[in-house]
Amino acid sequence: MYKVTVLPKAAVFAMSNNGMNYRYQIQGEERKVTITTTQEINHVDFPVESYDSQKEIFKLAVDKELGKIVLEKN
């Protein structure tokens, strides 16, 4: 049997104009890990000036989802 000893922290990333946001939630129990991610896109068209912000949110989301979960053998 294994138990969860280390989990990544939950996070929220959002564009300053609220055009897009990303949420990462994680919960660990004795024998179960639940990960929930939510991405909201609130606009259909984005100005060119916001492309860097969009790219940064996607990069942060990928980095967050690569976080390590550590299990310890009982």
Side-chain angles (χ1 to χ4, degrees), residues 21-37:
N21 65 55
Y22 170 86
R23 287 184 182 90
Y24 175 90
Q25 298 175 318
I26 187 165
Q27 295 178 323
E29 298 173 13
E30 186 95 4
R31 297 180 56 187
K32 178 178 168 182
V33 176
T34 304
I35 300 171
T36 305
T37 62

Side-chain angles (χ1 to χ4, degrees), residues 3-5 8 12 15 21-22 24 26 28 32 35-38 43 46 49-50 52 58 63 71:
K3 68 177 182 176
V4 178
T5 58
V12 176
M15 292 177 64
N21 65 55
Y22 170 86
Y24 175 90
I26 187 165
K32 178 178 168 182
I35 300 171
T36 305
T37 62
T38 306
H43 298 289
F46 288 91
E49 298 82 29
S50 72
D52 287 338
F58 285 119
D63 290 346
L71 304 176

Side-chain angles (χ1 to χ4, degrees), residues 42-73:
N42 301 314
H43 298 289
V44 177
D45 295 318
F46 288 91
V48 173
E49 298 82 29
S50 72
Y51 288 2
D52 287 338
S53 295
Q54 292 176 34
K55 286 170 51 176
E56 183 65 19
I57 287 177
F58 285 119
K59 180 189 175 310
L60 291 169
V62 169
D63 290 346
K64 182 50 82 174
E65 291 179 17
L66 291 174
K68 304 291 186 224
I69 298 171
V70 178
L71 304 176
E72 185 177 282
K73 191 169 187 173

